[in-house]
Amino acid sequence: MYSEQMIAPARHEPRLPVTGAGEGLAGLFRRQPCERFEPGAAVFWEGDAAAHLFQIAEGVLRVYKIIGDGRRVITGFLYPGDLVGLSLRERYLYTAEAVTKVRIRRLARSRFDEEVNASPTLRPELFARLSDEMAAAQDQMVLLARKSAEERVASFLLVLARRLSGDAPVQPVVELPMTRLDMADYLGLTIETVSRIMTRLTGRGVIAACGRHAIVVRQLSKLEFLAGEGDDGDHDPIGVAYTRQAVWPN
Amino acid sequence: MYSEQMIAPARHEPRLPVTGAGEGLAGLFRRQPCERFEPGAAVFWEGDAAAHLFQIAEGVLRVYKIIGDGRRVITGFLYPGDLVGLSLRERYLYTAEAVTKVRIRRLARSRFDEEVNASPTLRPELFARLSDEMAAAQDQMVLLARKSAEERVASFLLVLARRLSGDAPVQPVVELPMTRLDMADYLGLTIETVSRIMTRLTGRGVIAACGRHAIVVRQLSKLEFLAGEGDDGDHDPIGVAYTRQAVWPN
DNA sequence: CGGGGACTTGAGTACTATCAAGCGATGTGG
DNA sequence: CCACATCGCTTGATAGTACTCAAGTCCCCG
């Protein structure tokens, strides 16, 4: 189902600093054995009893919901260090599926609850992670409700580029382990629209392709502007007229 | 700024049952004095230091974010019993503004944190509320990413109708205290599109207008179908051809 | 009764979806 | 080893939904 060459997953640390003398929430998973999932394999399904939480050791996951006639919405991509299933009720709210090869650690929900309940240092961390998740969800609502296709793609690439910016090379190589269809279902677009805009961004020199599953960001500030962070609206977005040769300030 | 006649706010209890012998999270606010806000007044602004949480005693709030050139996205409407600012970091993630006249109780964040930290019954409730908020956010992402304008409006009306369904009359009167512009900014549409679809739903007998800020749901099952819960996709949505007389199964 | 704001309705446009080929890389079997 | 099938992606042509711009109506309120 997913026979393309493997992409090395992005390496990054959990987003939150460890709070106490322990190792934070991530530490709870440390002793758990790693399970492996091949690309396309589901870790759990929407509607399953939410018996476990997971932490990604390696690889990338997509989480999504399906509505009736097959429409799919990817609500997020998860990277090493991220916790999966934090905001759980009785049942999982979404399906989690491996994008790349994934190694993941599992912890019983009951055990997690006990540990968190017992630790005054873990509770704020859990809370902070939930707040981060909520903030991301709201940003995504903004993107989906009010941004154009080009702004959506640019925003997406920008988030990925910033994820790496710990080592911040001038022109970071951004891995895109997911398919174009995944991107489309995340951004509320079609695969064709995503493809066209990637092509357009490449043609304008904003990004450069490194194979199909990686890009180089050549003009970060332009990408930021196209993502809708320019805020003034007095510049012309690239290729609005499709034939026009836009002239860029720098 | 907002001079229309007041709508009686929907009365409903907090969504979660009180967990312990106390009164749950809501009880923390009980002794706080009520503050009043007129329609259009902001309770707090995106970016303000998040020093307080709020509980709505009466009225309806909208919470929204603005991007650059004035585009607004309403991420939610909040009703009596709801807590405002739960998922907070250092600063508020959004602006909260009164839709109707609002009475609201304020609690210092530090105080709230202390109380929750000290109470093993409040913690699960807080957690459950955050999970509910997350679930709602994900549903909204699905709506914005993949639903048509008609499905969005129908979904919205359905959620409001179900909010009342504690007393479940056969044809519930649903209050719409917000303006059409609010609805549009919540649903990722324009005011004209919302208006046209409301008109279309009225014309087809799915809903009936009760003035501009209330409707009667005449055919709940049809509304559910139009909201995209019909799941089979083999029926025709109303008025797809704009001229066609659809024949409904019942 | 008149003004203004919210809402509705209409006409035309534009952006993105849909439908349809074509391309390029990968993997397989003859 | 190469033809061929497959899959993911790109590109092109066309169509349709929702947006934009523009009146016009309704209702509230002074």
Side-chain angles (χ1 to χ4, degrees):
Chain A
M1 167 171 281
Y2 204 99
S3 56
E4 67 198 29
Q5 190 189 350
M6 285 311 306
I7 301 294
R11 263 170 226 106
H12 77 132
E13 293 302 298
R15 286 163 190 159
L16 293 163
V18 170
T19 53
E23 322 159 64
L25 289 173
L28 297 178
F29 292 81
R30 169 158 307 193
R31 293 174 194 283
Q32 304 302 114
C34 265
E35 299 172 38
R36 287 165 192 281
F37 292 87
E38 290 300 305
V43 177
F44 55 78
W45 295 89
E46 177 180 358
D48 282 0
H52 298 91
L53 282 86
F54 301 84
Q55 186 196 34
I56 303 179
E58 187 185 324
V60 179
L61 240 49
R62 59 179 164 249
V63 300
Y64 65 83
K65 294 164 83 92
I66 297 277
I67 55 178
D69 48 347
R71 286 174 285 186
R72 183 180 72 157
V73 177
I74 293 180
T75 54
F77 295 103
L78 297 173
Y79 285 80
D82 288 341
L83 302 184
V84 193
L86 268 195
S87 58
L88 30 76
R89 301 156 130 185
E90 284 308 300
R91 306 193 162 272
Y92 292 116
L93 296 172
Y94 43 71
T95 300
E97 214 170 75
V99 171
T100 64
K101 276 185 185 174
V102 163
R103 289 193 306 117
I104 200 169
R105 297 179 211 273
R106 177 194 299 263
L107 190 66
R109 182 187 181 179
S110 54
R111 171 89 186 289
F112 181 85
D113 287 348
E114 280 169 26
E115 298 271 11
V116 170
N117 237 325
S119 160
T121 65
L122 291 183
R123 288 199 298 262
E125 188 187 341
L126 171 58
F127 194 73
R129 285 201 188 231
L130 285 170
S131 294
D132 282 352
E133 217 177 294
M134 200 64 221
Q138 288 182 5
D139 288 344
Q140 190 68 359
M141 285 191 257
V142 170
L143 180 146
L144 293 169
R146 286 288 176 243
K147 290 192 175 179
S148 70
E150 186 171 87
E151 288 173 320
R152 294 182 200 195
V153 173
S155 298
F156 177 68
L157 297 178
L158 204 50
V159 169
L160 293 191
R162 285 177 177 159
R163 186 191 297 282
L164 303 172
S165 65
D167 41 14
V170 177
Q171 294 187 348
V173 173
V174 178
E175 304 283 346
L176 301 171
M178 67 292 293
T179 66
R180 294 286 188 271
L181 184 58
D182 287 335
M183 289 175 57
D185 286 347
Y186 181 63
L187 298 174
L189 301 169
T190 60
I191 186 175
E192 294 96 333
T193 297
V194 171
S195 181
R196 275 186 249 272
I197 287 171
M198 296 287 287
T199 302
R200 198 199 295 174
L201 292 177
T202 304
R204 301 302 313 166
V206 180
I207 61 174
C210 294
R212 277 169 167 169
H213 288 288
I215 60 162
V216 176
V217 176
R218 288 215 174 286
Q219 301 172 290
L220 190 57
S221 62
K222 203 173 289 184
L223 194 63
E224 287 166 343
F225 167 68
L226 292 175
E229 302 189 352
D231 286 358
D232 287 314
D234 51 6
H235 295 90
D236 296 315
I238 281 183
V240 150
Y242 284 84
T243 55
R244 166 156 185 229
Q245 282 293 96
V247 177
W248 295 97
N250 19 327
Chain B
M1 164 172 278
Y2 204 98
S3 56
E4 66 197 29
Q5 188 189 348
M6 286 309 308
I7 300 294
R11 262 168 227 107
H12 77 131
E13 293 303 300
R15 286 165 192 159
L16 293 163
V18 170
T19 53
E23 323 158 63
L25 290 172
L28 296 177
F29 293 81
R30 169 158 306 192
R31 292 173 195 286
Q32 305 300 113
C34 265
E35 298 172 41
R36 289 165 192 281
F37 292 87
E38 290 300 305
V43 177
F44 56 80
W45 296 88
E46 178 179 359
D48 281 0
H52 298 91
L53 282 87
F54 302 84
Q55 186 196 35
I56 304 179
E58 187 185 323
V60 179
L61 240 49
R62 59 181 165 246
V63 299
Y64 65 84
K65 292 165 83 91
I66 298 275
I67 54 179
D69 48 346
R71 288 175 284 186
R72 183 181 71 157
V73 178
I74 293 181
T75 54
F77 296 104
L78 296 172
Y79 285 79
D82 289 340
L83 301 184
V84 192
L86 268 194
S87 56
L88 31 78
R89 302 155 130 183
E90 283 308 299
R91 304 193 164 273
Y92 293 115
L93 296 172
Y94 43 71
T95 301
E97 211 171 76
V99 171
T100 65
K101 276 185 185 173
V102 163
R103 290 192 306 117
I104 201 169
R105 296 177 211 274
R106 177 193 299 261
L107 190 64
R109 182 188 181 178
S110 55
R111 171 88 187 289
F112 181 84
D113 287 348
E114 281 170 26
E115 298 271 11
V116 170
N117 237 325
S119 161
T121 65
L122 291 184
R123 287 199 299 262
E125 188 186 342
L126 171 58
F127 193 73
R129 285 201 189 231
L130 285 170
S131 294
D132 282 352
E133 217 178 294
M134 201 63 221
Q138 289 183 4
D139 287 344
Q140 191 68 0
M141 284 191 257
V142 169
L143 180 147
L144 293 169
R146 285 290 177 240
K147 289 191 176 181
S148 69
E150 187 172 87
E151 288 173 319
R152 294 182 199 195
V153 173
S155 298
F156 177 68
L157 297 178
L158 204 51
V159 168
L160 293 190
R162 286 178 177 157
R163 186 191 297 282
L164 303 171
S165 65
D167 42 16
V170 177
Q171 295 187 348
V173 173
V174 179
E175 305 283 345
L176 302 172
M178 67 292 296
T179 66
R180 294 287 187 271
L181 183 58
D182 287 336
M183 288 175 57
D185 285 347
Y186 180 62
L187 298 174
L189 301 169
T190 60
I191 186 175
E192 295 96 332
T193 297
V194 171
S195 181
R196 275 186 250 273
I197 287 171
M198 296 287 287
T199 302
R200 198 198 297 174
L201 293 176
T202 304
R204 302 300 317 165
V206 179
I207 62 174
C210 293
R212 275 168 169 172
H213 288 289
I215 60 161
V216 177
V217 176
R218 288 214 174 286
Q219 300 172 289
L220 190 58
S221 62
K222 203 173 289 183
L223 193 63
E224 286 166 343
F225 167 67
L226 293 174
E229 303 189 353
D231 284 359
D232 288 313
D234 51 7
H235 296 90
D236 297 315
I238 282 181
V240 149
Y242 283 85
T243 55
R244 164 157 186 228
Q245 283 292 96
V247 177
W248 293 97
N250 18 325

